[in-house]
Amino acid sequence: MEGTDPDEEEPNIRVVLEHRFYKEKSKSVKQMCDKCSTIIWGLIQTWYTCTGCYYRCHSKCLPLVTKPCVRSKVSHQAEYQLSICPESGLDSQDYRCAECRAPIALRGVPSEARQCDYTGLYYCSSCHWNDLAVVPARAIHNWDFEPRKVSRCSMRYLALMVSRPVLKLREINPLLFNYVEELVEIRKLRQDILLMKPYFITCKEAMEARLLLQLQDRQHFVENDEMYSLQDLIDIEAGRLSCSLTEIHTLFAKHIKLDCERCQAKGFVCELCKEGDVLFPFDSHTSVCTDCSAVFHRDCYYDNSTTCPKCARLSLRKQSLFQDSVAEAEP
């Protein structure tokens, strides 16, 4: 129809290969099309962005998209490639781009071959824009956070994965804790927070204050002390995580030990020396019995050669109950 804006005829939502494309409204922002690698002129061209992986392209390029949405891979296979730049050679790719299969060569004829430091594969200049990203394998094995050149597909995958706690460091590289002091500090803080968690989930005041929501951006910190996200490691290396986690640890300890009478009442008295202040399992100078979870001064616990007093009482009680049940059963 004459006088009709062609942009109005384009649907707002289009689904292609699991991408969920939404039509963009911005006219002033200049973007690059992920499909044809040319500029998107928002004033005169209709363009779309995938809400899952942020793939951007012209409306005219949508039918040409051949790569499925990276978010679907993250949903079904949330794990990293953990070998450092696992190159197999351009000949193993038949001298073609690993993504679009266009002919490539190291000399740039017909198209320059660019290696992705994450996958080790080679790509054409349309699929590899020399974007920079921290590579998980280098961070875990070498504690190296220098951004490296990666393909567009790898960049989107790494961006979607960066906050997912999928790295079990003590299995992948246990020696890392011997060389990175900050990791040992963070692990201790996380272990303390897990010891604090039972106080909070049974405390009305803590639930009303929503204290555990202080860690809502790192929910795995209140679930275990083993799993890390790549963002955790980046923040540890930069010194940010230690500061923020120490503040949260201090806030949690203050609630339990000073602010809340109900939580204070769940403290322990050292049964070995029967002296000193009320103890809590997350105190730095305490030790916890692995069998009954009783808390003692660390010096008392290791200096005392006898068994745990609470365990001894529980054992005697079980024996007494057993003897009573046997006596009742006898005619």
Side-chain angles (χ1 to χ4, degrees), residues 6 16 55 100 130 149 152 173 178 181 197 207 236 267 326:
V16 179
Y55 187 102
C100 71
N130 289 328
K149 293 179 181 180
R152 295 291 292 170
N173 185 9
N178 296 338
E181 293 181 4
K197 180 180 175 181
M207 296 298 285
I236 290 171
V326 170

Side-chain angles (χ1 to χ4, degrees), residues 13 18 29 42 71-72 120 146 153 190 198 203 246 252 287 313:
I13 303 173
E18 299 187 51
V29 179
R71 184 171 288 277
S72 63
E146 184 72 26
C153 184
R190 291 182 63 175
C203 175
T246 299
F252 285 3
S287 290
R313 284 200 311 276

Side-chain angles (χ1 to χ4, degrees), residues 273-331:
C273 70
K274 297 182 173 57
E275 296 177 359
D277 298 330
V278 176
L279 306 178
F280 294 89
F282 49 84
D283 287 334
S284 60
H285 60 289
T286 61
S287 290
V288 180
C289 175
T290 55
D291 294 322
C292 69
S293 300
V295 181
F296 307 93
H297 292 116
R298 180 173 297 165
D299 292 341
C300 297
Y301 191 70
Y302 288 109
D303 290 345
N304 198 297
S305 58
T306 61
T307 58
C308 165
K310 185 176 179 180
C311 287
R313 284 200 311 276
L314 292 173
S315 179
L316 286 173
R317 187 179 302 169
K318 287 181 181 178
Q319 290 178 13
S320 177
L321 290 172
F322 176 73
Q323 290 171 358
D324 290 345
S325 62
V326 170
E328 290 177 1
E330 291 178 352

Side-chain angles (χ1 to χ4, degrees), residues 213-265:
L213 287 183
Q214 296 285 331
L215 288 167
Q216 62 181 339
D217 293 334
R218 302 184 201 264
Q219 189 62 34
H220 52 292
F221 279 18
V222 295
E223 294 173 353
N224 61 73
D225 66 344
E226 294 187 335
M227 305 305 294
Y228 292 82
S229 68
L230 182 60
Q231 189 63 56
D232 292 337
L233 303 186
I234 293 171
D235 291 342
I236 290 171
E237 195 274 338
R240 293 188 295 266
L241 185 55
S242 178
C243 293
S244 62
L245 202 57
T246 299
E247 290 179 4
I248 293 171
H249 182 282
T250 302
L251 175 67
F252 285 3
K254 180 174 179 289
H255 170 86
I256 295 171
K257 301 177 70 172
L258 299 175
D259 298 343
C260 179
E261 293 183 0
R262 186 175 301 177
C263 290
Q264 290 176 37

Side-chain angles (χ1 to χ4, degrees), residues 43-213:
L43 282 172
I44 58 175
Q45 294 176 312
T46 305
W47 59 291
Y48 287 80
T49 299
C50 173
T51 57
C53 66
Y54 308 108
Y55 187 102
R56 294 184 293 265
C57 69
H58 297 101
S59 173
K60 65 180 182 179
C61 292
L62 278 179
L64 306 177
V65 173
T66 57
K67 196 74 175 177
C69 180
V70 175
R71 184 171 288 277
S72 63
K73 179 182 177 182
V74 171
S75 300
H76 298 109
Q77 187 184 2
E79 60 184 17
Y80 287 118
Q81 192 287 116
L82 293 177
S83 297
I84 296 177
C85 196
E87 182 181 7
S88 56
L90 193 53
D91 57 337
S92 68
Q93 296 179 210
D94 197 25
Y95 295 90
R96 293 182 178 275
C97 171
E99 184 169 341
C100 71
R101 305 305 295 166
I104 53 176
L106 291 175
R107 294 182 178 179
V109 181
S111 178
E112 176 191 4
R114 297 179 178 178
Q115 187 178 32
C116 171
D117 197 82
Y118 174 66
T119 63
L121 300 174
Y122 290 88
Y123 298 81
C124 67
S125 57
S126 295
C127 298
H128 192 318
W129 296 2
N130 289 328
D131 295 301
L132 298 175
V134 174
V135 177
R138 293 187 182 274
I140 293 170
H141 295 298
N142 296 342
W143 202 243
D144 176 5
F145 293 87
E146 184 72 26
R148 311 283 172 148
K149 293 179 181 180
V150 297
S151 68
R152 295 291 292 170
C153 184
S154 293
M155 186 198 70
R156 285 192 290 270
Y157 183 74
L158 292 172
L160 290 174
M161 284 285 290
V162 71
S163 296
R164 288 184 171 245
V166 297
L167 299 170
K168 198 169 186 178
L169 290 188
R170 278 188 283 191
E171 286 189 1
I172 302 170
N173 185 9
L175 294 178
L176 201 57
F177 289 89
N178 296 338
Y179 296 96
V180 183
E181 293 181 4
E182 294 86 348
L183 274 176
V184 178
E185 180 187 356
I186 294 297
R187 182 173 62 185
K188 179 62 171 70
L189 289 170
R190 291 182 63 175
Q191 289 170 344
D192 287 352
I193 286 171
L194 289 175
L195 291 171
M196 295 175 183
K197 180 180 175 181
Y199 289 85
F200 294 148
I201 60 179
T202 57
C203 175
K204 181 181 178 182
E205 288 79 4
M207 296 298 285
E208 289 176 351
R210 299 186 176 184
L211 289 180
L212 288 176
L213 287 183

